[in-house]
């Protein structure tokens, strides 16, 4: 009896958590996803859904990609755990591959398990490297839900019930260089920014603003931390979003696509930052797990073999197709983004349309803010799938001009 009550409670808790986390997609409550293949998720009834979300931006290679699946199987059969005080061949291979794709001035990496953990690591490293505590972040930012990451996440909905959070955080308007200028001082440890604010509504950073952020950091001895959790690994058509702006961040936070959907995160940083870290300054039991690293080696290999160029082309095709199908409709305020992160900003709430897309067209999409319908498809998306998604969106949104 007790056993079954516990089971029931647990099931409900899991379902509620999922509903909260993934917005409309699981609010339906009844859908049980059991498999995936390429850009498609498959439910327990055998229904196929075109996943224009990559499971919240992580399954960049789609589902059951042979390189990823084989790497995980092979590693699981060899060594699935290994403490950080031993060297491990797969971890070494992964670190080497990761450092090879980050800018040459970034030579160090700390391995974690999620985006929020990567952000927490970045905050700690910036504090140590500068001896300062103040962080400047942006309004509309989203950096995660651990206490550290939440402290620099703007939306009061996430923060309100958890005050007090970290002190010394100031939020400035995104893309407002004057306010940033006023906020960054010789007490600032770091300016932490996304180059495209993803959860906040798919707002693309202005080149002038981001260049100013780097300049203010350099002039005033603060570090520039770029959160690439959602924009990294080809999502924007380049390895990292900051490459569109020729930025040279001191620290980047990575997760989502890093392991092709296998949970992992990383903080990548300069040797100058490394100099300030003392033994025991940071650590993680699971960070650098061999299975995660095997997934990471496989994913980075696929990105390197042309997937990022494909993503750039696919992003242009998707964007063009959306512009011509719905760009002039009254309900559409703006279509924005870069590569395969696209936000369709509506003049009304996005959630009802997401529901229709899923229930009537079996196409999965995400909200971003209240009025933005966000597309984050797997980077492998092909022309046929683009056509299906665009047609579904076109028939879901009201057609009056
Ligand atoms: C830009 C950004 N940073 C950090 C995070 C937090 O990542 P995680 O959910 O893996 O903790 C997210 C999650 O969506 C994100 O989009």
């Amino acid at each position: 009896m007790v056993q079954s009550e516990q089971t029931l409670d647990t099931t409900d808790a899991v379902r509620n958590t999922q509903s909260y986390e993934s917005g409309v997609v699981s609010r339906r409550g009844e859908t049980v996803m059991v498999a995936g293949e390429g850009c498609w998720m498959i439910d327990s009834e055998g229904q196929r859904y075109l996943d224009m979300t990559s499971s919240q931006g992580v399954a960049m290679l789609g589902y059951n990609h042979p390189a990823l699946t084989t790497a995980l199987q092979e590693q699981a059969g060899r060594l699935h755990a290994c403490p950080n005080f031993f060297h491990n061949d797969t971890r070494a291979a992964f670190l080497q591959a990761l450092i090879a794709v980050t800018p040459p001035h970034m030579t160090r990496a700390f391995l974690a398990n999620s985006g929020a953990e990567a952000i927490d690591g970045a905050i700690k490293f910036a504090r140590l490297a500068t001896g300062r505590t103040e962080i400047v972040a942006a309004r509309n930012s989203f950096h995660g839900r651990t206490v550290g990451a939440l402290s620099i996440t703007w939306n009061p909905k996430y923060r309100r019930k958890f005050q007090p959070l970290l002190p010394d955080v100031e939020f400035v308007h995104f893309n407002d260089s004057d306010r940033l200028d006023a906020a960054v001082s010789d007490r600032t440890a770091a300016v932490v920014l996304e180059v495209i604010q993803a959860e906040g509504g798919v707002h693309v950073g202005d080149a002038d603003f981001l260049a100013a952020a780097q300049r203010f950091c350099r002039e005033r001895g603060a570090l520039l931390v770029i959160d690439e959790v959602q924009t990294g690994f080809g999502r924007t058509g380049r390895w990292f979003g900051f490459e569109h702006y020729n930025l040279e961040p001191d620290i980047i936070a990575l997760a989502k696509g890093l392991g092709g959907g296998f949970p992992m995160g990383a903080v990548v940083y300069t040797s100058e930052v490394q100099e300030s870290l003392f033994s025991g300054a940071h650590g993680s039991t699971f960070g650098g797990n061999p299975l995660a690293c095997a997934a990471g080696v496989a994913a980075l290999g696929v990105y390197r073999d042309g997937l990022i160029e494909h993503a750039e082309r696919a992003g242009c095709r998707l964007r063009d197709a959306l512009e011509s199908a719905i760009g002039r409709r009254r309900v559409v305020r703006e279509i924005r983004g870069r590569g395969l992160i696209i936000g369709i900003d509506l003049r009304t709430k996005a959630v009802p349309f997401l529901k229709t897309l899923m229930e009537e067209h079996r196409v999965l999409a995400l909200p971003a803010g209240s009025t933005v319908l966000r597309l984050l498809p797997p980077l492998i998306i092909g022309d046929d799938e683009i056509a299906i998604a665009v047609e579904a969106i076109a028939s879901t949104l009201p057609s009056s001009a």
Side-chain angles (χ1 to χ4, degrees):
M1 189 63 192
V2 170
Q3 182 62 37
S4 69
E5 276 172 12
Q6 283 175 341
T7 308
L8 187 68
D9 282 345
T10 310
T11 308
D12 283 351
V14 168
R15 186 173 295 145
N16 289 339
T17 307
Q18 287 179 342
S19 298
Y20 175 67
E21 285 295 323
S22 51
V24 69
V25 169
S26 56
R27 240 171 248 151
R28 194 170 160 229
E30 305 306 325
T31 309
V32 180
M33 295 298 186
V34 295
E37 194 176 60
C39 293
W40 299 81
M41 294 189 92
I42 303 162
D43 75 10
S44 53
E45 313 278 300
Q47 294 281 7
R48 292 164 66 85
Y49 299 79
L50 177 57
D51 181 12
M52 297 296 284
T53 78
S54 312
S55 283
Q56 293 176 293
V58 305
M60 309 281 262
L61 313 181
Y63 300 97
N64 205 4
H65 189 287
L68 189 67
T69 305
T70 309
L72 283 166
Q73 284 168 341
E74 190 275 330
Q75 186 67 45
R78 208 153 57 78
L79 186 68
H80 83 288
C82 175
N84 287 324
F85 49 76
F86 287 126
H87 286 295
N88 171 254
D89 56 341
T90 309
R91 190 185 300 133
F94 172 67
L95 284 169
Q96 208 166 22
L98 178 61
I99 291 302
V101 300
T102 53
H105 73 287
M106 311 193 87
T107 54
R108 301 290 180 149
F110 172 82
L111 299 181
N113 310 286
S114 68
E117 268 187 65
I119 288 289
D120 277 9
I123 293 173
K124 285 178 72 179
F125 294 178
R127 281 181 163 206
L128 274 182
T130 59
R132 306 172 180 178
T133 55
E134 291 185 7
I135 306 279
V136 177
R139 291 169 69 97
N140 266 318
S141 63
F142 185 88
H143 299 290
R145 292 183 175 91
T146 56
V147 171
L150 192 58
S151 302
I152 59 169
T153 289
W154 179 75
N155 194 334
K157 174 177 94 175
Y158 300 129
R159 303 164 53 86
R160 198 174 293 122
K161 297 275 190 183
F162 300 101
Q163 306 280 1
L165 293 163
L166 284 185
D168 300 342
V169 177
E170 181 170 351
F171 291 99
V172 299
H173 286 79
F174 193 55
N175 285 338
D176 185 334
S177 306
D178 292 341
R179 301 220 187 183
L180 188 65
D181 190 6
V184 181
S185 74
D186 59 8
R187 293 183 306 281
T188 308
V191 175
V192 185
L193 294 169
E194 301 155 87
V195 293
I196 299 179
Q197 291 190 318
E199 306 288 324
V202 191
H203 297 288
V204 180
D206 287 346
D208 288 352
F209 172 74
L210 291 164
Q214 177 160 299
R215 198 171 60 249
F216 299 150
C217 285
R218 296 286 185 272
E219 285 169 4
R220 299 162 206 183
L223 301 191
L224 179 64
V225 176
I226 299 293
D227 181 341
E228 288 280 348
V229 168
Q230 194 155 147
T231 46
F233 303 103
R235 172 58 65 200
T236 67
R238 303 257 175 100
W239 274 96
F240 301 104
F242 66 78
E243 291 174 23
H244 295 278
Y245 302 92
N246 293 319
L247 295 176
E248 283 201 0
D250 301 285
I251 300 179
I252 53 179
L254 305 171
K256 293 203 190 276
L258 179 61
F262 198 89
M264 69 187 318
V267 193
V268 179
Y269 52 98
T270 60
S271 51
E272 289 79 35
V273 171
Q274 174 69 25
E275 277 166 26
S276 63
L277 304 186
F278 58 90
S279 163
H282 202 44
S284 164
T285 300
F286 284 127
N289 167 277
L291 274 180
C293 290
V297 171
L300 293 179
V302 180
Y303 299 142
R304 226 180 15 237
D305 285 348
L307 189 59
I308 293 179
E309 292 76 9
H310 171 83
E312 189 184 15
R313 290 190 297 271
C316 290
R317 284 200 286 270
L318 176 55
R319 178 80 176 264
D320 289 349
L322 286 168
E323 288 287 0
S324 58
I326 57 162
R328 291 219 199 86
R329 293 196 190 172
R330 226 200 91 61
V331 70
V332 176
R333 199 194 313 265
E334 189 183 21
I335 301 176
R336 51 180 185 250
R338 186 165 254 155
L340 285 172
I341 171 167
I342 296 181
I344 304 168
D345 195 355
L346 304 174
R347 292 185 200 281
T348 178
K349 296 230 176 298
V351 163
F353 298 118
L354 296 172
K355 216 164 144 53
T356 309
L357 268 179
M358 176 172 166
E359 291 175 1
E360 292 179 18
H361 300 278
R362 306 208 188 290
V363 170
L364 309 179
L366 286 165
S370 62
T371 62
V372 177
L373 190 156
R374 180 175 33 146
L375 304 176
L376 292 175
L379 305 193
I380 59 166
I381 190 166
D383 287 348
D384 291 352
E385 289 144 343
I386 288 176
I388 294 169
V390 172
E391 198 181 314
I393 292 167
S395 35
T396 298
L397 296 180
S399 59
S400 58

